[in-house]
């Protein structure tokens, strides 16, 4: 399969992830605003994060089954970098994959603006991630490391390992993402994916919303978590 086709597959998959995943967060914020409150938490917090987690998880599962046969459905620069680090991915494909993921995430945010209008950004913030009130920069980064560690070790176990029953990979990875977001969403926003945060951040700028000061959380945290997960899995799997 050519790198162009694989990159297009990554773009489409990441676009789906952002459109349906962050779209659920935007709708939660719009509902909250219509009832005179702000932020996620109108149902006590856990209800919204469970719904958002399931939206992300199902979108990821669908994307894996849709484009996984073409590109492997990384959909996440941290996953691409970690797979490259453990020699499960070719060096020449790393940059095209990451660029495709970033473009796909941006396209997902653009489509949400097209479907919902300016309120997707001005009220919903395009589902952009940021540390929740009461949590520090480093606490949010630690949550991203732990969450992405679980994601990556799951990917290694159900999708990369040649002994894995890979027909269930999409479902298992999607459920893992849903659980991660439900748990750490109220801490860091649960990005676990630099591209997923990049798209909303970039498009929010056109509406006067600048959150780039938080972006290192969602680059360093996920990449560290993914690298640790990949290398630990490789270590415990070696005979």
């Amino acid at each position: 399969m050519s790198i162009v086709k694989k990159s297009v597959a990554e773009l489409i998959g990441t676009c789906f992830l952002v459109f349906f995943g962050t779209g659920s967060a935007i709708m939660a914020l719009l509902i909250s605003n219509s009832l005179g409150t702000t932020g996620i938490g109108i149902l006590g917090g856990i209800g919204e994060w469970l719904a958002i987690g399931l939206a992300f998880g199902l979108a990821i599962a669908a994307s894996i089954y849709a484009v996984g046969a073409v590109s492997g459905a990384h959909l996440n620069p941290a996953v691409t970098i970690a797979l490259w680090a453990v020699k499960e991915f070719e060096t020449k494909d790393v940059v095209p994959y990451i660029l495709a993921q970033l473009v796909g995430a941006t396209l997902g945010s653009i489509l949400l603006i097209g479907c919902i209008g300016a309120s997707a950004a001005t009220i919903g913030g395009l589902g952009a991630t940021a540390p929740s009130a009461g949590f520090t920069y480093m606490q949010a980064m630690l949550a991203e490391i732990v969450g992405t560690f679980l994601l990556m070790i799951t990917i290694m176990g159900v999708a990369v390992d040649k002994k894995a029953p890979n027909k269930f990979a999409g479902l298992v990875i999607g459920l893992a993402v849903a659980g991660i977001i439900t748990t750490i969403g109220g801490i860091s926003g649960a990005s676990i994916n630099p591209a997923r945060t990049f798209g909303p951040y970039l498009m929010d700028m056109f509406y006067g919303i600048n959150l780039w000061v938080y972006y290192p959380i969602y680059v360093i945290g996920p990449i560290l978590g993914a690298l640790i997960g990949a290398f630990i899995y490789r270590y415990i799997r070696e005979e």
Side-chain angles (χ1 to χ4, degrees):
M1 197 71 67
S2 74
I3 186 58
V4 173
K5 290 182 178 180
K6 290 190 285 187
S7 296
V8 170
E10 285 295 301
L11 186 154
I12 292 169
T14 313
C15 179
F16 284 163
L17 184 160
V18 169
F19 183 86
F20 290 104
T22 67
S24 66
I26 292 168
M27 295 310 299
L29 289 165
L30 291 176
I31 292 169
S32 176
N33 181 74
S34 71
L35 296 175
T37 60
T38 57
I40 294 174
I42 188 173
L43 301 179
I46 195 68
E48 291 96 323
W49 285 117
L50 175 60
I52 293 166
L54 286 172
F56 268 105
L58 292 171
I60 288 171
S63 295
I64 290 171
Y65 289 121
V67 303
V70 179
S71 68
H74 296 186
L75 316 177
N76 185 336
V79 171
T80 297
I81 291 169
L83 290 174
W84 166 79
V86 294
K87 296 180 172 56
E88 292 287 349
F89 192 65
E90 293 187 41
T91 301
K92 65 182 178 64
D93 291 344
V94 171
V95 171
Y97 263 53
I98 292 175
L99 289 175
Q101 292 154 3
L102 295 175
V103 172
T106 303
L107 179 59
S109 290
I110 292 171
L111 289 174
L112 284 166
I113 294 170
C115 291
I116 299 171
S119 61
T122 57
I123 296 174
L126 289 174
T129 51
S132 298
F135 293 97
T136 68
Y137 205 93
M138 294 309 298
Q139 285 176 318
M141 187 176 292
L142 179 59
E144 291 293 311
I145 291 170
V146 174
T148 318
F149 169 84
L150 175 57
L151 170 63
M152 193 67 215
I153 205 167
T154 301
I155 291 171
M156 294 294 290
V158 303
V160 178
D161 196 315
K162 292 178 175 57
K163 293 185 178 180
N166 55 19
K167 289 184 179 180
F168 298 100
L171 177 62
V172 174
I173 293 167
L175 289 173
V177 168
I180 292 163
I181 291 174
T182 302
T183 302
I184 71 169
I187 301 172
S188 66
S191 171
I192 59 175
N193 183 338
R196 172 261 181 270
T197 292
F198 176 86
Y201 273 20
L202 181 62
M203 298 312 300
D204 272 338
M205 290 181 65
F206 292 94
Y207 295 88
I209 303 168
N210 190 336
L211 298 170
W212 290 103
V213 67
Y214 298 118
Y215 196 53
I217 294 172
Y218 306 108
V219 174
I220 297 170
I223 290 175
L224 277 179
L227 287 171
I228 295 168
F231 278 105
I232 285 183
Y233 186 86
R234 180 58 55 85
Y235 168 74
I236 63 176
R237 188 67 179 80
E238 284 180 347
E239 296 181 0

